[in-house]
Amino acid sequence: MNWFLRSLLCSLILAASSSHATSSKGEAPKPAPKVIIINMFTPEAQVWYNIPEFNLLSGNNITVPGISPLFPQVLCTKAGDICQLVTGEGEINAASSISALIYSSLFDLTSTYFMIAGIAGVNPKVATIGSVALARYAVQVGLQFEIDAREIPSNFSTGYFPQGTTAPGQFPVDIYGTEVFEVNENLRQAAFALAKTADPHLNDTADSQANRDQYASFGETVTRPPAVVLCDTATSDTFWSGDLLGGAFENITKLFSNGSATYCTTQQEDSATLNALMRGATAKLVDFSRIIMMRSASDFDRPPVGETALANLLGETPGFVPSLLNLHIAGARIVTGITEGWELIFKHGIKPDNYIGDIFGSLGGEPDFGPGSLFGGKPAP
Ligand SMILES: *[C@@H]1O[C@H](CO)[C@@H](O)[C@H](O)[C@H]1NC(C)=O
Ligand SMILES: *[C@@H]1O[C@H](CO)[C@@H](O)[C@H](O)[C@H]1NC(C)=O
Ligand SMILES: *[C@@H]1O[C@H](CO)[C@@H](O)[C@H](O)[C@H]1NC(C)=O
Ligand SMILES: *[C@@H]1O[C@H](CO)[C@@H](O)[C@H](O)[C@H]1NC(C)=O
Ligand SMILES: *[C@@H]1O[C@H](CO)[C@@H](O)[C@H](O)[C@H]1NC(C)=O
C-alpha cells in the first residue's frame, strides 16, 4: 500500500471511529419507548416481571436522577420499546417522579404511550373488586376545604366543600388547575377493546366472591365476576373509607366535571401523574393524547351494610391479589397491542375527538368542565 492510500485509509478509519465516538457520546439516539408502564409501589411493579409477553428484567436498567429513591431506575426491555417507572405512592411522589423522568433528557418521550397501571379502591355502585377500569376523567376530590365532621353546621352533608365556597354542593371558586383531567377517549376505547379480550382470563377467588356478595344491596354489578370496565377515577392523598365520604366524593366528582365523570375507582396519584404529563406536553416533550389510566379494584371504598367504615378500612382485602394479577392480565394486552400495532396504527397516534387536558384548557381547546379555557381556546403560551 502506498503512502497516500495508507494515510487516506487511516483518516477514514479515524473519521469513522471519531464519528462513532461522538454519536455514542452526544448524539446517540435516545431510547424512545413505545410504552411506559407507570406503577406506584412494589407489588404493582412485580406483576410485570417473569411474564411471557416481554422481559423488563433483561438488564436494560436506566438510572434517572430525581425519580423515587426507592425505585431509582427505569427498567426497559432489551429492545427498549417497553419500559417501567415506579413513582412511589401519593400525589407528591407521583408528580415528582414523572417530572424527573420527563425533564431528564434521557428519553425521547414524544411518541411514548404512558399507561398507569395501579390498584385502587372501588365504588360498589359502579364496579367490583378484581375488575380493571379504564378512566376518561381523573378528578382530584381531595382538593377542597375541610372541617371535621364533628364541627360541621347541622345542615352540611359533609365536612368537605369546594375551595372559595361557603357550603357543599357549590361549584369551586378558587380553582388550582388540577381538579379534573380528561384523556383521549378514542385511545381509551382502543385500549378497552384490547383489554376486554382478557375478561374470561381475569383472576378471581372464592374469598373475593364472598366479599363481593356482601355488597349485593348496592346493585347487581358488584356481585358479578371481575371484568374490564370503563369508569372514572378519583384522586386524594387521604386514603378514605365510608359511606359518607364515598357519597361526598361521588357528588364532588359530578360537580367538578360538570356531570361527566363517574366516581368509580379511588387512588392517591393519577391527577398528579396527569398534571406532570400535561406540563410535559406544554413543553412539547410528551404527547397528552397518548395516556391510558388503568386501575384495578383491590377493595371497596365503603363497608357493606352492617359493617363499620373502620372495619372496612382495616379488614381483610381479598381483592388485593386478584387486582394485582389482573393489572398484568388485562394490561399486557394493551401493551402488546400497542407494540404489535405500532407501524400500522399507534406510531402515528390515535386522534382524539374529545377535549383532552386540564380544567384551564392549557393544551388548547374548550374544556367540557369548569369555567372555560383561560387561554381563549388556544394552547397556553
Ligand atoms: C435491573 O433491575 C431489576 C429490578 O430491580 C433487577 O432485578 C435486575 O437485576 C437489574 N439489572 C441489572 C443489570 O442491574
Ligand atoms: C345552612 O344554614 C345556614 C344558616 O341558616 C344557611 O345560611 C346556609 O345557606 C345553609 N347551608 C346549606 C348547605 O343548606
Ligand atoms: C387466581 O390467583 C390465585 C393466586 O395465584 C390462584 O390460586 C387462583 O387459582 C387464581 N384463580 C383463577 C380463576 O385464575
Ligand atoms: C350528595 O349530594 C346530594 C344532593 O346535593 C345530597 O343530598 C347528599 O347529602 C350528598 N351526599 C353526601 C354524602 O354528601
Ligand atoms: C360547569 O358548571 C359551572 C357551575 O355551574 C358553570 O359555571 C360552568 O360554566 C360549567 N362549565 C361547562 C363547560 O359547562
Side-chain angles (χ1 to χ4, degrees):
M1 203 183 292
N2 71 23
W3 171 84
F4 176 76
L5 266 181
R6 199 185 311 190
S7 63
L8 183 66
L9 206 59
C10 243
S11 58
L12 279 176
I13 290 167
L14 267 176
S17 64
S18 77
S19 85
H20 181 76
T22 45
S23 81
S24 67
K25 251 193 195 152
E27 293 149 30
K30 293 175 186 176
K34 298 184 171 87
V35 185
I36 294 185
I37 299 165
I38 298 172
N39 306 124
M40 279 52 71
F41 73 137
T42 302
E44 289 167 358
Q46 283 174 337
V47 295
W48 299 96
Y49 306 152
N50 306 306
I51 56 172
E53 295 89 355
F54 48 88
N55 185 1
L56 290 169
L57 300 177
S58 55
N60 201 359
N61 296 357
I62 301 172
T63 300
V64 180
I67 62 175
S68 169
L70 304 181
F71 310 100
Q73 295 189 315
V74 168
L75 273 50
C76 295
T77 55
K78 208 162 227 133
D81 55 343
I82 304 168
C83 297
Q84 176 193 51
L85 169 76
V86 188
T87 60
E89 295 167 275
E91 293 174 58
I92 296 172
N93 282 320
S96 303
S97 296
I98 300 291
S99 291
L101 172 78
I102 293 172
Y103 304 105
S104 71
S105 310
L106 292 171
F107 298 87
D108 175 352
L109 302 172
T110 51
S111 52
T112 301
Y113 287 81
F114 295 91
M115 185 179 80
I116 297 173
I119 63 171
V122 69
N123 175 1
K125 295 178 191 168
V126 180
T128 198
I129 49 171
S131 283
V132 180
L134 296 167
R136 172 168 171 171
Y137 296 94
V139 179
Q140 191 183 10
V141 296
L143 187 60
Q144 297 195 63
F145 287 155
E146 187 198 3
I147 49 182
D148 188 278
R150 290 162 296 188
E151 296 175 308
I152 60 176
S154 60
N155 61 357
F156 275 30
S157 56
T158 173
Y160 277 91
F161 51 111
Q163 296 192 136
T165 71
T166 56
Q170 298 171 13
F171 199 79
V173 174
D174 299 331
I175 294 177
Y176 286 4
T178 54
E179 287 79 358
V180 185
F181 290 96
E182 183 173 357
V183 299
N184 183 346
E185 175 63 6
N186 290 340
L187 174 61
R188 183 173 79 131
Q189 292 294 341
F192 180 66
L194 290 166
K196 193 67 184 159
T197 60
D199 270 3
H201 309 283
L202 292 178
N203 185 265
D204 194 15
T205 62
D207 286 350
S208 272
Q209 179 68 62
N211 188 220
R212 301 198 289 273
D213 285 346
Q214 293 183 280
Y215 287 83
S217 63
F218 288 92
E220 203 225 319
T221 311
V222 71
T223 61
R224 289 199 204 126
V228 178
V229 298
L230 295 168
C231 59
D232 299 308
T233 198
T235 310
S236 171
D237 267 325
T238 304
F239 193 135
W240 70 93
S241 169
D243 264 319
L244 294 177
L245 283 178
F249 292 149
E250 280 173 30
N251 283 351
I252 280 298
T253 300
K254 281 274 174 266
L255 183 72
F256 280 11
S257 67
N258 288 66
S260 295
T262 305
Y263 170 89
C264 176
T265 61
T266 68
Q267 39 69 35
Q268 297 173 293
E269 295 89 9
D270 292 359
S271 303
T273 296
L274 273 273
N275 194 51
L277 290 170
M278 198 275 300
R279 301 275 188 89
T282 62
K284 308 243 183 304
L285 296 172
V286 308
D287 179 349
F288 198 83
S289 73
R290 298 183 182 216
I291 298 168
I292 296 158
M293 294 194 279
M294 179 177 73
R295 287 278 175 173
S296 62
S298 61
D299 57 287
F300 290 104
D301 73 337
R302 63 195 78 187
V305 174
E307 195 183 90
T308 65
L310 185 65
N312 176 62
L313 185 63
L314 303 182
E316 298 290 317
T317 49
F320 183 69
V321 169
S323 68
L324 287 169
L325 295 173
N326 292 343
L327 276 182
H328 160 249
I329 294 170
R333 289 170 190 244
I334 299 175
V335 175
T336 56
I338 292 172
T339 55
E340 284 165 15
W342 186 255
E343 286 302 327
L344 214 55
I345 304 166
F346 290 98
K347 181 179 167 181
H348 315 286
I350 293 190
K351 224 175 116 46
D353 292 317
N354 61 309
Y355 172 78
I356 61 168
D358 65 351
I359 196 168
F360 286 160
S362 300
L363 299 176
E366 271 299 336
D368 48 324
F369 47 84
S373 168
L374 285 188
F375 308 102
K378 297 201 172 62

